[in-house]
Each structure stands twice: as structure tokens, then as C-alpha cells.
């Protein structure tokens, strides 16, 4: 694996291509920010059109003329475009079975804030304090952990569908889920390396610890 891809604190080497981790973090961060923004928009559509925090139903795709229902027939934040409906026969998004979608809404807001804080600090200055990355590190770790839990919970169904494919559409849904999940795990891994680089540069530049002495 190390012959094809190598990730250091400052750079990522993919075959013979060397890419600065800051660029990768920014690109992957913007991509996830778009996902989180559309996911939060689902809550606004649900509140305006249905008066509920998250009226997500996989049957919504059957309403061709109702764009609101179609928009709410996916759970974008976990890259579920009908996958869990196919695997475990749920009629609503996973968040609806937990608390109706309230925690999902708060999560989307928190993730957008964390991503925006990190991306803006990276954009406006090359010498931003490493603490600016802390919210995103915490959120991204929790996000990846949640995606792992979802994967483990449906691992038997996923493996059966992959090893004995009977539905091309289901395979496509699995591919989309794994692309989204893998991209976020890669983002988390590169983000940590980028943070360690920023931390070492900050200490070299200022001679001060990243964490204040009173913390």
C-alpha cells in the first residue's frame, strides 16, 4: 500500500503525485460542507412543507410531482439514498427511528460550524492557531465512528448483497455509501496529519505549547 500512497504530516504522495495536505483537507472539507448543507436544508424543507423536523420517507421517491417529498426520500448526511430501505426494510430514515430527526438537525448545524471554522481559518491565514482545527477533529472523529457503527450493524446484509448480487440498483447504493464513508475516513486521517504539521509549525514559530497552561 505504501508503494502507491503515502501520507505524511505535510504531504500526501499518490503514486508519483505529491499533494499538499492543506489542499486535500480543503477540498474534502468543502465536499463534506456541501453534504452537510444539503442535509440541513432537508430539515428546512420538512419544517416548511410538512411542519415536522424531519419527515423522511423512502416512499417519497414515488411522488414524481412533489419535489419536497423526493428531496426528503434520502438521508444525505449518512449517504443513504435508499440503501437501508433495501437492506433492512425500513420505511423511514434511521434518524426518524432515533428521535424524529432532532439530533440529526443539531448534528448538521454543528458539523457546518466546525467545517466553516476550519476552512475559513485555513483560507484567511497560513498561520492560523491549531486550536481552530479542534472542533472539526472532534466532529470528524465522531462522524466516522457513527458511519462505522452503521456499517457494522448492517455488515451481514451488505456482504450478502455484495457476494450474491441480485439487484444492480442495490449495488449502486452500496457503492455510493462506501464512497462517502471511505472519503470521510480518508479526510479524518489526512486531517490529523495536517493538524500535527500545523501543531509542530506553531511550536517552532512561537515556542509556545498549543494548549494554554491553564487548560
Amino acid at each position: 500500500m505504501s508503494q502507491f500512497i503515502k501520507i505524511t504530516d505535510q504531504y500526501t504522495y499518490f503514486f508519483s503525485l505529491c499533494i499538499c495536505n492543506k489542499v486535500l483537507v480543503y477540498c474534502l472539507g468543502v465536499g463534506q460542507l456541501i453534504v452537510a448543507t444539503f442535509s440541513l436544508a432537508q430539515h428546512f424543507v420538512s419544517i416548511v412543507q410538512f411542519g415536522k423536523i424531519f419527515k423522511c420517507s423512502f416512499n417519497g421517491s414515488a411522488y414524481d410531482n412533489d419535489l419536497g417529498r423526493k428531496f426528503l426520500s434520502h438521508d444525505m448526511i449518512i449517504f443513504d439514498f435508499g440503501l437501508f430501505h433495501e437492506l433492512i426494510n425500513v420505511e423511514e430514515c434511521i434518524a426518524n427511528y432515533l428521535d424524529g430527526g432532532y439530533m440529526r438537525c443539531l448534528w448538521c448545524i454543528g458539523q457546518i460550524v466546525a467545517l466553516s471554522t476550519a476552512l475559513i481559518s485555513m483560507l484567511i491565514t497560513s498561520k492560523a492557531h491549531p486550536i481552530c482545527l479542534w472542533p472539526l477533529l472532534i466532529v470528524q472523529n465522531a462522524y466516522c465512528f457513527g458511519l462505522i457503527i452503521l456499517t457494522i450493524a448492517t455488515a451481514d446484509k451488505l456482504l450478502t448483497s455484495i457476494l450474491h448480487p441480485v439487484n444492480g440498483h442495490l449495488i449502486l447504493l452500496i457503492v455510493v455509501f462506501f464512497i462517502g464513508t471511505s472519503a470521510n475516513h480518508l479526510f479524518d486521517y489526512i486531517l490529523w496529519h495536517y493538524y500535527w504539521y500545523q501543531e509542530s509549525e506553531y511550536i517552532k514559530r512561537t515556542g509556545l505549547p498549543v494548549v494554554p497552561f491553564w487548560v
Side-chain angles (χ1 to χ4, degrees):
M1 182 68 176
S2 60
Q3 296 178 353
F4 305 107
I5 183 170
K6 179 181 179 182
I7 300 175
T8 65
D9 288 352
Q10 188 175 7
Y11 298 104
T12 291
Y13 300 89
F14 184 71
F15 291 94
S16 59
L17 183 63
C18 177
I19 307 174
C20 181
N21 282 341
K22 181 177 181 178
V23 174
L24 290 175
V25 167
Y26 204 86
C27 291
L28 291 169
V30 168
Q32 186 56 36
L33 181 60
I34 293 172
V35 172
T37 301
F38 272 96
S39 299
L40 182 61
Q42 288 182 297
H43 290 281
F44 286 109
V45 171
S46 179
I47 292 171
V48 171
Q49 186 166 345
F50 302 105
K52 294 185 177 181
I53 190 68
F54 190 46
K55 186 176 175 58
C56 174
S57 173
F58 292 114
N59 295 323
S61 58
Y63 297 88
D64 294 331
N65 297 324
D66 193 330
L67 295 179
R69 288 182 183 272
K70 288 181 69 68
F71 185 54
L72 291 169
S73 64
H74 314 296
D75 194 349
M76 298 181 184
I77 199 67
I78 59 171
F79 310 102
D80 179 13
F81 293 87
L83 174 61
F84 295 110
H85 172 63
E86 295 279 351
L87 289 179
I88 55 180
N89 298 317
V90 292
E91 295 300 325
E92 298 180 350
C93 296
I94 300 297
N96 291 95
Y97 292 99
L98 298 177
D99 65 348
Y102 289 94
M103 287 301 297
R104 181 187 186 275
C105 182
L106 292 175
W107 173 265
C108 291
I109 294 172
Q111 190 172 42
I112 289 172
V113 171
L115 283 163
S116 299
T117 301
L119 294 176
I120 291 173
S121 69
M122 291 168 58
L123 183 63
I124 62 177
T125 177
S126 60
K127 298 180 180 180
H129 198 291
I131 285 181
C132 294
L133 294 174
W134 282 15
L136 182 55
L137 287 168
I138 295 170
V139 166
Q140 193 62 29
N141 280 357
Y143 187 47
C144 289
F145 182 73
L147 291 173
I148 288 175
I149 294 299
L150 282 174
T151 305
I152 293 174
T154 56
D156 57 333
K157 301 287 187 180
L158 286 169
L159 288 174
T160 300
S161 300
I162 293 172
L163 296 176
H164 303 284
V166 294
N167 187 336
H169 178 64
L170 177 57
I171 296 299
L172 178 61
L173 295 177
I174 293 174
V175 169
V176 171
F177 176 75
F178 274 109
I179 288 176
T181 300
S182 300
N184 272 281
H185 285 298
L186 179 64
F187 179 32
D188 191 40
Y189 189 67
I190 295 175
L191 179 63
W192 272 105
H193 277 282
Y194 176 68
Y195 170 76
W196 291 327
Y197 170 72
Q198 289 294 97
E199 184 181 54
S200 64
E201 288 297 304
Y202 177 82
I203 294 173
K204 290 177 184 177
R205 187 170 63 250
T206 65
L208 300 173
V210 172
V211 182
F213 70 90
W214 60 82
V215 176

